Amino acid sequence: MRKQHRTSLVVAVCAAATASGGLLTPAHATTTATQRDGPDIAELSGEEIAEKAAAELNSADSVRLRMKAPDLRLDLTLDEKANCSGKVTTPGSGSVRLIKRGDTVWLKPDAAFWKAQLGPEQGAAAAEKFQGRYIKGSAKDDDLGGKGLATACDLDAFRAASGVRDTPGPRWKRGRESSVDGHRSVPVTRAQDKARVTMHVSTEGKPYPLRLERKAGSKHDRIDLGRFNRPVSRSTPPKDRTVTVDQLRRHLGDSGQGEPPSESV
């Protein structure tokens, strides 16, 4: 697509990759918590619970990440090989379905996204022209997200951005047991960078981090985690439902007459 009409996906996925802002960092690493088979998590300190949750996230091969922030909605399954599948939504500006396998990416914007990027008239025409089609291209293409996309789809990069690796901070304090989406959990909370951050950790089975929250003034960001170690789907769009990014650029650069071409077999 033309430079002046780059999608905002790169902005969205970069925000998603760094949104947790160090929520998982235990203040003081202790080997006893992660090595301990007992007692039950309900008897552990907030610091020990946070370390166990961080260890589970560090060892996961894949995870589903759902983020809710005022300017962004994200539902993405990603793994350590930077494969991912899901949906990115910017409220008021539409959404994009996203599939990434290796160095190839497929993006399917909705009508609202086209209009937000191209303006009402040209956006409506593009939405009709490319309805149901995925844009296929290189994950390194800046117009399709480039490095920002690769980072957002990489579980290891998300863990680094989340701060699970040896970054000092205030100690975690545990709260009263509650639940997240029907799963029993215990919250641990600390202050960080003038914000209050909370991690909800499962008390059933492995101590997975189920929800991360950051509150600073009126701003409240939330990330839900789930489906740990379930592989990213290997399914990719069929060729008759794809348009290459070069074909898209050509269509946006002219009057756009006729039907959009599909990717050649």
Side-chain angles (χ1 to χ4, degrees):
M1 56 199 69
R2 291 179 291 176
K3 287 289 184 180
Q4 62 267 38
H5 296 316
R6 279 187 175 176
T7 74
S8 60
L9 181 60
V10 62
V11 177
V13 295
C14 284
T18 58
S20 55
L23 295 181
L24 297 183
T25 310
H28 304 287
T30 58
T31 57
T32 55
T34 53
Q35 292 173 349
R36 186 183 296 177
D37 293 326
D40 187 85
I41 191 173
E43 301 176 36
L44 300 180
S45 70
E47 197 72 9
E48 290 173 318
I49 293 171
E51 186 182 357
K52 279 183 171 288
E56 292 298 339
L57 182 59
N58 270 330
S59 64
D61 295 325
S62 59
V63 68
R64 181 186 183 187
L65 186 156
R66 292 177 295 162
M67 177 181 172
K68 184 178 181 180
D71 58 350
L72 179 67
R73 301 288 186 273
L74 183 74
D75 188 344
L76 201 64
T77 300
L78 58 157
D79 66 21
E80 293 183 310
K81 296 182 179 179
N83 299 312
C84 66
S85 176
K87 185 178 181 181
V88 177
T89 302
T90 51
S93 300
S95 64
V96 177
R97 292 199 172 275
L98 162 67
I99 299 172
K100 181 179 177 293
R101 296 294 305 180
D103 292 330
T104 304
V105 62
W106 293 260
L107 306 176
K108 187 169 74 170
D110 67 5
F113 187 91
W114 282 117
K115 292 176 183 178
Q117 296 303 308
L118 304 178
E121 185 175 344
Q122 189 178 6
E128 181 178 1
K129 181 183 292 293
F130 300 109
Q131 183 178 10
R133 305 292 180 93
Y134 283 82
I135 306 162
K136 179 183 178 181
S138 169
K140 299 178 182 179
D141 191 321
D142 287 341
D143 282 352
L144 299 182
K147 291 182 180 180
L149 175 63
T151 298
C153 286
D154 190 340
L155 175 57
D156 198 48
F158 172 74
R159 288 190 292 238
S162 299
V164 298
R165 296 186 179 91
D166 302 329
T167 303
R171 297 187 67 86
W172 292 91
K173 297 180 179 180
R174 63 171 296 154
R176 301 180 63 177
E177 289 194 31
S178 56
S179 64
V180 173
D181 292 336
H183 299 283
R184 291 174 55 195
S185 63
V186 59
V188 291
T189 303
R190 71 177 182 175
Q192 184 182 46
D193 298 330
K194 298 182 180 180
R196 180 180 177 87
V197 297
T198 302
M199 174 167 55
H200 301 262
V201 182
S202 175
T203 61
E204 301 173 321
K206 293 185 177 182
Y208 288 123
L210 301 178
R211 175 173 292 169
L212 315 176
E213 294 182 275
R214 175 184 292 270
K215 296 181 180 180
S218 61
K219 186 176 181 180
H220 181 194
D221 295 338
R222 188 181 81 192
I223 299 176
D224 287 346
L225 303 175
R227 298 183 183 176
F228 289 86
N229 297 310
R230 297 187 186 180
V232 177
S233 173
R234 298 182 63 87
S235 298
T236 57
K239 291 183 177 181
D240 62 359
R241 292 179 58 199
T242 64
V243 177
T244 70
V245 68
D246 289 336
Q247 290 170 325
L248 175 62
R249 289 186 179 110
R250 288 197 296 270
H251 274 265
L252 291 180
D254 60 27
S255 59
Q257 300 296 318
E259 291 296 318
S262 297
E263 182 186 11
S264 58
V265 178

